[in-house]
Amino acid sequence: MAGRILPFGMALPVIQAPMAGGGSTPAMAVAVSQAGGLGFVAAGYRPATAVRDDIHAIREGTREPFGVNVFVPGPQPADRAADEAAVARYREELEPEAERYGVALPDNPAWDDDEFTQKIDLLVAERVPVAGFTFGCPPPEVVTRLHEAGSVVVITVSSPAEAVAAAEAGADALSVQGIGAGGHQTTFLPPPPSWEPPADLAELVSQVRQVVDLPLAAAGGIMDGAGIAAVLSAGAVAAQLGTAFLRCPESGAHPVHKAALVDPGFTETAFTRAFTGRTARGLANRFMAEHEASVPHCYPQVHHLTKGLRRASAEQGDPHGMNLWAGWNHRGIRDLPAARLVEVLIQETEAALA
Ligand SMILES: Cc1cc2nc3c(=O)[nH]c(=O)nc-3n(C[C@H](O)[C@H](O)[C@H](O)COP(=O)(O)O)c2cc1C
C-alpha cells in the first residue's frame, strides 16, 4: 500500500471501528495500530474514568496513533412529559420480557448526555491522536479545543448533507457510514425528500466526495480486501470495519453475540430501534420481531430501559433478548487475531487493486 497518502499517521488504510458495548477493547486497538492500521476504542456508554483507563492501557501497548469515539448527545427532550409517557407505555409492553429474564425494569429511565463534557475534557487532557464523533457534530468550541490539543477530529456521516454539516463544524476527516453498517446509524439530519441512501457504499463515498474535500473513511459491510479496494477506488482513503473484528480474540463482545454471528440460524440482519430507541443494524432475533412496531423514538431512555434485560438475556445464554449488532455482510466474518486480520485484509486489498 506504499505511496498512498493516509491521514491519522496510519501506514495502512484499515480502521478498526469503535464498538461501544464491549466489542472494541484497548487490546484490539493496540493490535490494530501496531499492525499499521488505526485502532479505536469506544467511549459510548462508559464512564469517563473508564475511558481514561482505556487510553492509558493503549498507551502502554503502543506508541502508534489510535482513536477514541464519543457519542454526541442529541437535544434534550422537547416534551419531557410526552417522552416519559411513551417510555412508560413501552415499559409496560416489556413487563413479560422482564418476567421471562427475571429482572426489574427501571422506573422512568432518564435522558442523559453520556458524560459528554467529561469525555471532551478527558480527550483534550490526554491529547488523543484521533477524536471521533457519531450521532452529530460536536460544537465548534469542542472542535477548537481538540485541535489545540493536537487531535484529528473525525465525524461520522451517513449522507452528503451530513458531510457538509460536518465539514462546516471543522472536521478534519469523515467516516462515511453506509446502510449496511453494523450497530447504530449516525443519522443526525433528516435526508432531503428526494434522496435515498444508496445500498452501494462506494456510491455513497462518491456522492460525499462531490460535496466535501476531506479525507474519507468508508464503513458498512466491508469484510474483505475486495470491499476495501472498492471504497478506495471510489476515493476513500481508508476502510473502517467493525463486524469483521467482532470474533477476534481481542474482542470484548459477549460470547453469546460471538456465537450468534456464525450461527446458521441467524440468516439476516435488520434495522431496529427496539433495544435503544435509535436505529441500529443487528442480527434479526425474537426481541426485534416482537417489539419493533411499538418502540418510541426516545434515545437514550429506551437504551437504559432495556439494558438490564439485555444483560440478563446474555447471561442466560439466550441470543433472542439482546442486541446482536452486525453489519449485513456478517457471514464473511473470520476468526483471526486482530493483527493477522489486518495483514490478511491488506494482502487481499493489494491483490484486488493489482
Ligand atoms: C458492535 C458494534 C458497536 C458499534 N459501536 C459504535 C460506536 O460506539 N461508535 C461508532 O461511531 N460506531 C459504532 N459502530 C459502527 C461502526 O463504527 C461502523 O460504522 C460499522 O461497524 C461498519 O459496519 P460493519 O460492522 O459492517 O463493518 C458499531 C458497530 C458495531 C458492529
Side-chain angles (χ1 to χ4, degrees), residues 114-335:
D114 200 33
E115 294 191 12
F116 184 72
T117 310
Q118 294 93 318
K119 287 175 187 172
I120 297 305
D121 289 346
L122 173 70
L123 266 48
V124 168
E126 292 285 343
R127 298 175 166 271
V128 296
V130 179
F133 293 92
T134 190
F135 301 163
C137 296
E141 63 274 16
V142 166
V143 175
T144 303
R145 286 178 66 204
L146 287 164
H147 282 160
E148 283 168 5
S151 302
V152 171
V153 173
V154 184
I155 299 179
T156 303
V157 301
S158 60
S159 66
E162 288 175 356
V164 170
E168 282 168 3
D172 302 299
L174 305 180
S175 173
V176 178
Q177 187 187 43
I179 58 171
H184 284 107
Q185 289 280 299
T186 187
T187 319
F188 56 91
L189 290 179
S194 54
W195 185 82
E196 279 283 321
D200 179 12
L201 182 59
E203 166 61 21
L204 181 62
V205 169
S206 305
Q207 290 187 16
V208 169
R209 270 188 80 206
Q210 283 166 30
V211 295
V212 295
D213 186 18
L214 288 174
L216 308 178
I222 302 175
M223 302 301 284
D224 58 20
I228 297 174
V231 294
L232 296 183
S233 301
V237 297
Q240 177 169 324
L241 291 73
T243 304
F245 286 93
L246 277 175
R247 280 182 57 92
C248 294
E250 295 90 346
S251 161
H254 195 281
V256 175
H257 186 181
K258 287 186 177 180
L261 286 163
V262 291
D263 180 342
F266 286 101
T267 52
E268 278 177 30
T269 67
F271 276 147
T272 181
R273 289 189 302 105
F275 296 107
T276 67
R278 177 166 208 137
T279 301
R281 182 174 292 281
L283 299 175
N285 66 3
R286 181 191 61 78
F287 192 96
M288 284 159 62
E290 291 181 8
H291 303 296
E292 193 58 35
S294 36
V295 60
H297 285 266
C298 296
Y299 177 91
Q301 299 96 312
V302 174
H303 159 77
H304 293 303
L305 178 68
T306 66
K307 200 162 50 178
L309 268 181
R310 291 181 275 142
R311 194 179 308 127
S313 174
E315 280 164 7
Q316 291 163 34
D318 177 5
H320 284 284
M322 60 191 284
N323 53 307
L324 304 165
W325 297 155
W328 65 16
N329 290 329
H330 69 95
R331 285 207 205 94
I333 204 162
R334 291 177 271 199
D335 287 2

Side-chain angles (χ1 to χ4, degrees), residues 32-59:
V32 171
S33 289
Q34 280 291 104
L38 183 76
F40 251 99
V41 283
Y45 307 139
R46 271 170 91 59
T49 49
V51 180
R52 181 188 306 124
D53 294 344
D54 288 351
I55 294 170
H56 292 178
I58 295 174
R59 286 203 158 121

